[in-house]
Amino acid sequence: MAEETKKVKSVDAASNTMLEKAEKEGISTIFDRADKMKACNIGEQGTCCKICAQGPCRLPLPKKGIEGEDTRVGLCGATPNTIAARNFARMVAAGSASHSDHGRAVAEVFLATARGEAKDFKIQDTKKMVAVAKDFGVAVTVGEGDDEKPRDMTEIAIELGEKALAQWGQQEGEVPLAKRAPKARYDLWKKLDVIPRGIDREVVELMHRTHMGVDQDYENIILQSTRAALADGWAGAMTSTELQDILFGSPVPVHGEINLGVLKDDEVNIIVHGHEPLLSEMLVVASRTPEMQELAKAKGAKGINLAGMCCTANEILMRHGMPIAGNYLQQELAIITGAVDAMVVDVQCIMENIANVAKCYHTKVITTNVRAKMEEPNVVHVQFDEHHALDNAKQIVTEAIDNYKNRRSEVLIPDEKATMVAGFTLESIEYHLGGSFRGTYFTLNDNIINGRIRGIAGVVGCNNARTSHDSSHLVLVKELLKNDVIVLTTGCNAMACGKAGLLTPEAAKEFCGPGLKEICETVGIPPVLHLGSCVDNSRILTAATAVVNAGGLGNDISDLPAAGAAPEWMSEKAIAIGQYFVASGVYTLFGVGLPVTGAPVFQDYLFNKIEDTFGGKWDVSDDPMVIAQKMIDHIDKKRKELGIDKARERVLFDMEARRQIDEDVA
Ligand code: MSK
């Protein structure tokens, strides 16, 4: 662990204030438990096999390292490489399943809305719906020649919903959105036979292959892991992003506020936490109704303050400018303020301990999804049903209002809150960097080619209690900005950047190198572009594809001066994301550590040899400065390969010049 990331529990002042309060009040948090419980060193190496009842077989690296032949095997003879590959693959399967099951829920509500069965929802972005429908092979016009006319929108919506939903159970063929990748990437996947046939099929097959006594070839296991990961990035998660945009409205840049300081002493505070925006969208509507506002006032509050946490927060921020209370490691801390009247959770990243912390305060924890219940007696369950969405939302808001009077401990809301701009998408980046007349990625490409922007980084992912909260995120992002690398962000990294003031146009002056600063100041954008939640990593894939298609920077994502990182990752979803980025041609670095170190041959495959197959590879470091330097070195290597490594005077490339560069690269 890099020294600077170990020194403090959090680099966020609001979080440290709440940790002091927790200590004073005798509340145990994840920060305390991380100090007391060390990680299992064999699991950390990825070489504990518990897939059958003859084990668990534990194969740690010998203290002195491997001398001579590696003779370690489990009872069945499984080598450390097979074991670590199977464990890694099962993380991919779980991650893909999680994102994709979220996508399935969105597709079901979308279809119910299209059929008129979910009356509280209404399709908001029909322009995007038509564009996405074409990608799913849905006809958007009827008639031919002079008789051709636009097809009825309801018909398009129903067929799109049906085709989107069919991807989960599809057994043959290809998931439709794989074709969105650059042609060279799509052709490579085709050659390698890794294009997902259907989402559920790939996850099921990966679980089968990693069962005891099945696939014993780590490269072959990684090929199926790739199929399952692509079924996440280019199908389940991507479909989720697209249908959410169509159903709830495509985000456009909005101002918002972030950190625990967004909670209000004199209002009913409701925190929505998790990932699926289906209920939280309706909570936004419900909390704004005169009926609920009046009820809050009747109970002594000045109003209702709905704030988000984790990726649900990103969703309602992007579309409604709702405030964010914090990222993953702040969920217990929010309750410790004593000011949260209800914490409403759906799925993923919800710590079981919030129910324990809530017992010490008045906070009502409300679960809303049948897939994610909590057994604690102080937790209430209100099942979300899309057919009665607004009624469900009003019931939850009413529970929170009724609980306002029960605040009993000392309320301490930290002062810290920052302003930010969020809500960038493929389309809005195009508009901001290209303007209304040159609305394309040409301008971005021009500025990469002329060197003002050195490269592009995707920095994403969670917080991890084994590192100092937010520290690695911020050290890494600031180092990239200083070196003129523009950053695209999602998830908890986006929230760390927001709290530190990096999501404002003014941040360019303070944090960026001269080239990136000039671009951000000219265009008026932050140097770190907030693209949404973890499922919205698919926006990074489509943005990278748009950069390739704009020309001048090679033919494939793997040609771009670009790299990705998740410096504080912790969830299995992050491993699935990492694998689909690697398989899409991206050099992808993780912080904290990867559970593969106990299997040196398999690790070497992921960190080196896999690049020969996919043009992307994994890497790891617990030092964010090392991650930054490796990303910058990779970006410079790609610039050199593209022949754009020399600093250039600004040249506006015409199509001919762009084609010439592409031919030189090919
Ligand atoms: S919430 S998956 S901790 S990014 Fe998406 Fe944050 Fe990671 Fe959960």
Side-chain angles (χ1 to χ4, degrees):
M1 193 71 51
E3 275 312 306
E4 65 271 25
T5 66
K6 270 199 312 188
K7 280 181 201 147
V8 291
K9 289 183 175 175
S10 174
V11 294
D12 169 48
S15 298
N16 285 323
T17 302
M18 298 325 298
L19 285 169
E20 280 169 27
K21 185 170 188 272
E23 196 178 346
K24 212 165 76 188
E25 295 176 356
I27 310 295
S28 161
T29 68
I30 189 172
F31 294 87
D32 306 315
R33 295 187 292 278
D35 278 347
K36 286 189 195 125
M37 190 195 292
K38 297 293 161 220
C40 161
N41 71 317
I42 308 168
E44 202 175 43
Q45 293 180 23
T47 48
C48 173
C49 181
K50 53 184 177 59
I51 63 171
C52 86
Q54 301 170 101
C57 293
R58 295 164 300 147
L59 273 60
L61 273 177
K63 283 224 165 56
K64 284 192 268 171
I66 306 285
E67 286 169 0
E69 198 186 340
D70 188 352
T71 53
R72 295 172 295 155
V73 287
L75 259 62
C76 69
T79 66
N81 301 312
T82 305
I83 292 169
R86 284 174 174 166
N87 288 337
F88 183 89
R90 286 191 163 207
M91 293 177 86
V92 172
S96 294
S98 304
H99 275 153
S100 299
D101 207 35
H102 167 166
R104 181 196 337 249
V106 173
E108 284 171 344
V109 173
F110 179 85
L111 184 56
T113 305
R115 288 175 174 159
E117 296 162 4
K119 300 234 179 287
D120 297 328
F121 293 102
K122 189 172 174 300
I123 288 171
Q124 306 280 344
D125 190 343
T126 49
K127 186 172 168 217
K128 180 153 192 175
M129 183 173 80
V130 169
V132 173
K134 287 183 195 163
D135 289 342
F136 274 91
V138 175
V140 297
T141 57
V142 287
E144 281 176 17
D146 291 344
D147 293 333
E148 189 175 6
K149 56 178 189 202
R151 191 179 174 196
D152 175 73
M153 283 292 171
T154 303
E155 281 179 26
I156 294 175
I158 291 173
E159 193 179 335
L160 173 59
E162 287 169 348
K163 286 209 160 135
L165 199 51
Q167 294 174 97
W168 274 265
Q170 193 173 296
Q171 301 302 320
E172 293 176 344
E174 297 173 0
V175 292
L177 299 183
K179 274 236 161 66
R180 282 183 169 180
K183 185 173 180 314
R185 180 66 25 186
Y186 175 83
D187 290 346
L188 175 67
W189 290 341
K190 191 113 185 133
K191 194 173 98 196
L192 296 169
D193 193 19
V194 293
I195 299 181
R197 295 156 291 188
I199 297 167
D200 289 352
R201 174 166 190 172
E202 305 312 350
V203 174
V204 168
E205 183 170 325
L206 189 53
M207 291 305 287
H208 175 199
R209 286 210 206 180
T210 53
H211 185 274
M212 191 270 152
V214 188
D215 206 341
Q216 299 162 25
D217 171 345
Y218 63 83
E219 284 191 39
N220 206 38
I221 292 170
I222 289 305
L223 275 182
Q224 181 57 23
S225 302
T226 298
R227 261 199 193 141
L230 293 176
D232 174 2
W234 292 86
M238 193 174 277
T239 302
S240 177
T241 296
E242 300 297 46
L243 295 186
Q244 285 172 188
D245 282 358
I246 296 167
L247 194 52
F248 305 132
S250 297
V252 290
V254 287
H255 281 276
E257 288 186 326
I258 182 164
N259 214 341
L260 294 168
V262 304
L263 297 174
K264 294 188 176 152
D265 202 13
D266 51 5
E267 295 194 14
V268 176
N269 291 305
I270 304 174
I271 289 187
V272 286
H273 170 24
H275 282 78
E276 291 180 359
L278 300 168
L279 172 63
S280 53
E281 279 286 323
M282 222 27 87
L283 284 168
V284 174
V285 175
S287 66
R288 287 173 174 169
T289 58
E291 176 196 352
M292 291 292 119
Q293 291 287 337
E294 287 310 314
L295 185 62
K297 285 183 187 138
K299 301 280 175 162
K302 282 202 174 142
I304 301 166
N305 181 35
L306 187 70
M309 181 146 273
C310 282
C311 282
T312 298
N314 287 325
E315 300 281 2
I316 58 170
L317 163 74
M318 300 256 289
R319 296 194 178 86
H320 304 286
M322 304 303 279
I324 294 185
N327 51 5
Y328 167 73
L329 280 179
Q330 290 178 284
Q331 54 190 285
E332 294 166 314
L333 307 183
I335 297 174
I336 292 166
T337 62
V340 177
D341 302 298
M343 183 172 274
V344 185
V345 302
D346 51 60
V347 292
Q348 301 167 17
C349 301
I350 295 139
M351 286 187 215
E352 197 156 340
N353 197 52
I354 60 170
N356 286 329
V357 177
K359 279 181 201 156
C360 306
Y361 300 88
H362 78 301
T363 305
K364 194 166 267 187
V365 176
I366 304 176
T367 53
T368 60
N369 193 302
V370 75
R371 292 169 293 179
K373 289 190 169 183
M374 294 166 113
E375 66 158 349
E376 294 292 338
N378 63 326
V379 175
V380 179
H381 185 77
V382 177
Q383 181 58 46
F384 167 70
D385 171 1
E386 65 265 28
H387 302 98
H388 306 285
L390 188 56
D391 288 344
N392 297 156
K394 283 184 179 174
Q395 185 187 345
I396 288 167
V397 174
T398 304
E399 294 260 7
I401 292 171
D402 286 344
N403 200 28
Y404 176 72
K405 63 176 184 306
N406 296 326
R407 288 188 190 179
R408 55 175 188 253
S409 68
E410 177 207 351
V411 169
L412 175 62
I413 298 173
D415 293 333
E416 286 83 9
K417 62 177 171 183
T419 55
M420 60 184 166
V421 180
F424 289 89
T425 60
L426 172 75
E427 297 83 0
S428 64
I429 295 174
E430 184 174 280
Y431 171 74
H432 279 272
L433 288 172
S436 49
F437 296 107
R438 298 186 76 221
T440 71
Y441 276 67
F442 293 162
T443 317
L444 175 62
N445 287 27
D446 284 342
N447 282 297
I448 294 172
I449 292 166
N450 68 32
R452 279 191 174 84
I453 297 176
R454 191 170 184 166
I456 306 170
V459 187
V460 305
C462 322
N463 294 135
N464 186 312
R466 300 279 175 209
T467 68
S468 175
H469 171 224
D470 287 349
S471 173
S472 294
H473 283 308
L474 298 178
V475 171
L476 170 58
V477 170
K478 286 179 186 172
E479 189 62 17
L480 292 169
L481 298 183
K482 201 168 84 187
N483 285 281
D484 290 318
V485 177
I486 193 167
V487 175
L488 309 181
T489 179
T490 64
C492 289
N493 176 274
M495 293 180 249
C497 291
K499 285 182 277 175
L502 298 175
L503 301 184
T504 60
E506 296 73 35
K509 192 168 177 211
E510 189 177 346
F511 296 104
C512 295
L516 182 57
K517 174 170 163 277
E518 186 188 334
I519 302 297
C520 292
E521 288 185 339
T522 306
V523 181
I525 56 167
V528 182
L529 301 178
H530 183 324
L531 268 64
S533 66
C534 359
V535 294
D536 293 329
N537 282 316
S538 62
R539 295 193 204 275
I540 299 180
L541 298 175
T542 46
T545 302
V547 171
V548 171
N549 293 342
L553 292 172
N555 298 317
D556 196 351
I557 295 171
S558 55
D559 296 329
L560 298 176
E568 298 182 27
W569 80 281
M570 63 89 197
S571 82
E572 290 163 318
K573 291 184 292 173
I575 296 290
I577 293 166
Q579 184 59 26
Y580 72 63
F581 269 98
V582 167
S584 300
V586 180
Y587 177 42
T588 302
L589 291 108
F590 271 34
V592 189
L594 269 184
V596 295
T597 50
V601 176
F602 175 57
Q603 176 174 290
D604 181 54
Y605 175 69
L606 287 185
F607 288 13
N608 294 301
K609 297 200 178 87
I610 198 171
E611 192 174 20
D612 298 338
T613 308
F614 288 108
K617 64 177 181 178
W618 287 84
D619 205 345
V620 71
S621 172
D622 59 18
D623 184 340
M625 288 299 280
V626 171
I627 295 179
Q629 196 50 56
K630 285 183 167 199
M631 292 172 84
I632 293 163
D633 288 348
H634 179 80
I635 284 168
D636 286 349
K637 187 178 107 185
K638 291 294 169 182
R639 292 188 68 86
K640 192 162 188 201
E641 286 170 11
L642 288 162
I644 56 168
D645 51 324
K646 311 271 178 322
R648 294 180 182 208
E649 283 310 302
R650 182 154 197 242
V651 183
L652 275 177
F653 281 70
D654 59 17
M655 208 54 210
E656 192 51 42
R658 243 183 274 280
R659 260 190 224 112
Q660 190 53 50
I661 291 180
D662 286 343
E663 277 165 23
D664 292 346
V665 172

